[in-house]
Amino acid sequence: MSAKYTGKCLCEEGGIRFTISAEPIDPVCTCYCGHCSKGAGGLGQVMVAFPEESIDIESGKELITTFTFKNTDSGKPKDKMFCKSCGVTLWTAPEHWKQLKQLLVRTPVLDGGIDWKPTVELSTSKRAKWTSSVAGAAQQ
Ligand SMILES: [Zn+2]
Ligand SMILES: [Zn+2]
């Protein structure tokens, strides 16, 4: 399969490099829940699902570390995979997506992904009071 997308962590040398050979499955979404804002160190996360098998780690596989949240809103465990060298989160696997064999890739780790606009906003009740919704995005 050929690469449609490429991505990397923040490491300048010897970090995680990956390619994705599929198109995203669901719309791009952003989540403002406590885990996502804290994990991002910002307003929240922006992410999109890809089939796990379409993600090919080209280098730095040994750096990928998993942290499992247990006190999630759904009550089900959620895995977060990050680079143990630079700390960047690559993707998460909440229980539902794990069963579907999909990963929720954080769009900013994709080359050009910063411009992928969310069309769905999650946990909007927890969105910072000083910001506003994404124009045209569904509110959940
Ligand atoms: Zn890194
Ligand atoms: Zn969240």
Side-chain angles (χ1 to χ4, degrees):
M1 288 190 284
S2 60
K4 290 187 164 67
Y5 304 104
T6 55
K8 53 188 174 295
C9 68
L10 264 181
C11 290
E12 292 174 1
E13 285 174 34
I16 299 163
R17 299 281 183 277
F18 62 93
T19 62
I20 302 180
S21 59
E23 294 297 338
I25 294 166
D26 293 318
V28 176
C29 64
T30 182
C31 181
Y32 303 105
C33 80
H35 288 156
C36 287
S37 57
K38 200 168 269 203
L43 293 172
Q45 301 294 354
V46 184
M47 59 215 150
V48 70
F50 283 99
E52 193 170 1
E53 61 174 19
S54 72
I55 301 174
D56 188 33
I57 311 297
E58 302 204 304
S59 66
K61 200 168 200 160
E62 70 285 356
L63 295 171
I64 299 177
T65 308
T66 300
F67 177 75
T68 303
F69 298 96
K70 296 200 178 75
N71 61 337
T72 59
D73 287 349
S74 69
K76 294 184 174 151
K78 171 173 145 183
D79 290 341
K80 159 189 151 110
M81 275 66 92
F82 64 99
C83 173
K84 71 176 175 187
S85 181
C86 69
V88 161
T89 299
L90 303 165
W91 39 73
T92 52
E95 190 65 22
H96 173 70
W97 283 269
K98 214 178 196 176
Q99 285 172 12
L100 296 171
K101 301 204 181 311
Q102 297 173 7
L103 293 171
L104 292 176
V105 176
R106 301 275 174 89
T107 56
V109 299
L110 297 171
D111 296 322
I114 195 73
D115 288 324
W116 291 23
K117 185 182 170 187
T119 55
V120 178
E121 292 187 274
L122 305 173
S123 296
T124 52
S125 65
K126 293 178 180 163
R127 183 173 51 215
K129 304 284 182 279
W130 50 266
T131 189
S132 53
S133 59
V134 177
Q139 305 291 298
Q140 291 180 17

